[in-house]
Amino acid sequence: MSDAHNERHGYAVRYLADLVGGDIVGNDDVHVTGINRIEFAGPGDCTFLSNPSYAKFLSVTQAGVIIVSRALLTNELPSGRTYIITDDAYRGFVLVMQKFFPPLRMEAGLRHTSATIHPSAVVDSTASIGPGCVISEGCVVGPRAQLFANVVLYPGCHVGSDTVIHANVTLGAGTHVGQRCLIHPGAVLGADGFGFFENPDGSFEKIPQVGTVEIGDDVEIGANVAIDRAAVGTTRIGNGVKLDNLVHIAHNVDVGDNTAMAAQTGISGSARIGKRNRFGGQVGMVGHVATADDVIVEAQSGVSKAITAAGAYLGSPAKEHRTALRLEAALRQIPRLLQDVRDLQRQIDEMNKTSS
């Protein structure tokens, strides 16, 4: 499949249909110059329909091309439009997005003149080092890695091949990042964990944090995420993990493969997260407890003890989803029940007065 066009000039619908593995219905000479949501798309745009609740826009959208999931073809499509019919319209649209908006990359092998690279560091010839970067002694930067402006690697860090680290990220000493990772601006990996003991007079004394951080392959870490180094040993983030902005992972935590955590989640020290867990926004988890594989913890829930079975959990403290909903329903009845009790008490008081 030749890429006769590019993101600047757009793509023929036939090219996009081949890209997503779909069939064209309508005019196969349409040229696509952009992408947009179905409500806002214009004549040169490609959009998609994978959710039946958006089918109402089919008759009014101005989109030049609409990618439609095959499962939604229960009704006749409005005429006069061009469609790409595929098994998964959303996945197809993502492929089109990637064509129009390829990842930002620096020139292969770039060494900006303002970067500082220690003589003992090993930086692959195809890696790109942006302005203001600091690569300390003993660091290793793998093939095709990209370090954007002001990335700082403390001594002994390893960055795997094809990993992209955006501006103002700091890796503390000894931090290891795997292959094909994406780290967004402002993240700090390998700062000291929050470790102190209290003296008899109430003051605090710092506990040295001498462990490391290990990031697996294919991990994405959002902006301003903090992953603390272990007190001793390793804070580990498994392969395929996705961390949203402002997530905090404390010292000695172990996050299982393919787990995802939404923004402002906080995991306390030495917690163990199973594989394929899903944590909603602002979930909190106490230290030294664990979750099983395939656990979902819904937004703003608090995990205060181990979760030993797969499933969805809600509330603070987190409870099995259905149990939490029943408790919530019961709580909503308390005002009425209290009023009923007061009414009964008044009736009893009146009966007592009458009998006396």
Side-chain angles (χ1 to χ4, degrees), residues 152-163:
V152 176
L153 308 187
Y154 278 67
C157 290
H158 286 228
V159 176
S161 59
D162 299 295
T163 283

Side-chain angles (χ1 to χ4, degrees), residues 15 189 267 271 289 352:
Y15 174 82
L189 283 56
I267 309 299
V289 300
N352 289 335

Side-chain angles (χ1 to χ4, degrees), residues 38-49:
I38 193 168
E39 310 98 299
F40 309 118
D45 290 334
C46 176
T47 190
F48 73 103
L49 177 66

Side-chain angles (χ1 to χ4, degrees), residues 60-72:
V60 296
T61 183
Q62 299 299 305
V65 173
I66 307 166
I67 305 174
V68 180
S69 291
R70 209 176 302 276
L72 296 182

Side-chain angles (χ1 to χ4, degrees), residues 157-355:
C157 290
H158 286 228
V159 176
S161 59
D162 299 295
T163 283
V164 176
I165 304 180
H166 283 286
N168 301 312
V169 169
T170 299
L171 305 188
T175 297
H176 282 225
V177 178
Q179 303 178 79
R180 300 175 302 279
C181 294
L182 177 59
I183 304 177
H184 291 278
V188 177
L189 283 56
D192 280 0
F194 191 66
F196 303 88
F197 64 79
E198 188 173 353
N199 292 313
D201 63 358
S203 63
F204 292 102
E205 188 162 340
K206 184 175 178 63
I207 300 171
Q209 306 290 296
V210 298
T212 59
V213 170
E214 181 180 303
I215 309 295
D217 297 333
D218 304 298
V219 173
E220 182 160 350
I221 296 172
N224 296 317
V225 166
I227 302 175
D228 293 345
R229 69 174 51 254
V232 292
T234 305
T235 301
R236 192 188 76 85
I237 307 297
N239 296 327
V241 169
K242 312 300 179 189
L243 302 179
D244 196 1
N245 302 335
L246 299 170
V247 167
H248 177 224
I249 306 294
H251 55 197
N252 292 95
V253 168
D254 191 301
V255 179
D257 294 351
N258 298 310
T259 285
M261 296 182 181
Q264 298 184 344
T265 289
I267 309 299
S268 300
S270 299
R272 295 288 181 268
I273 313 297
K275 297 178 180 179
R276 299 175 300 278
N277 277 209
R278 304 290 185 263
F279 283 20
Q282 297 186 331
V283 165
M285 184 168 176
V286 304
H288 302 275
V289 300
T291 63
D293 295 343
D294 302 300
V295 165
I296 299 171
V297 183
E298 299 181 37
Q300 294 191 324
S301 296
V303 180
S304 60
K305 61 181 181 180
I307 295 178
T308 58
Y313 295 81
L314 171 66
S316 187
K319 296 166 280 294
E320 188 274 329
H321 180 85
R322 190 164 301 192
T323 299
L325 291 182
R326 285 200 299 265
L327 287 170
E328 178 64 26
L331 285 171
R332 292 179 181 181
Q333 297 181 56
I334 287 177
R336 179 181 60 80
L337 293 172
L338 286 173
Q339 186 60 49
D340 289 346
V341 170
R342 293 189 189 101
D343 292 343
L344 288 170
Q345 186 62 54
R346 280 196 296 269
Q347 292 176 31
I348 292 170
D349 291 343
E350 291 173 1
M351 291 172 62
N352 289 335
K353 289 179 182 178
T354 302
S355 62

Side-chain angles (χ1 to χ4, degrees), residues 103-134:
L104 179 66
R105 290 289 186 269
M106 294 181 288
E107 175 188 350
L110 173 70
R111 301 290 185 274
H112 196 276
T113 56
S114 64
T116 300
I117 303 175
H118 193 275
S120 68
V122 178
V123 180
D124 189 89
S125 62
T126 61
S128 302
I129 312 301
C133 289
V134 176

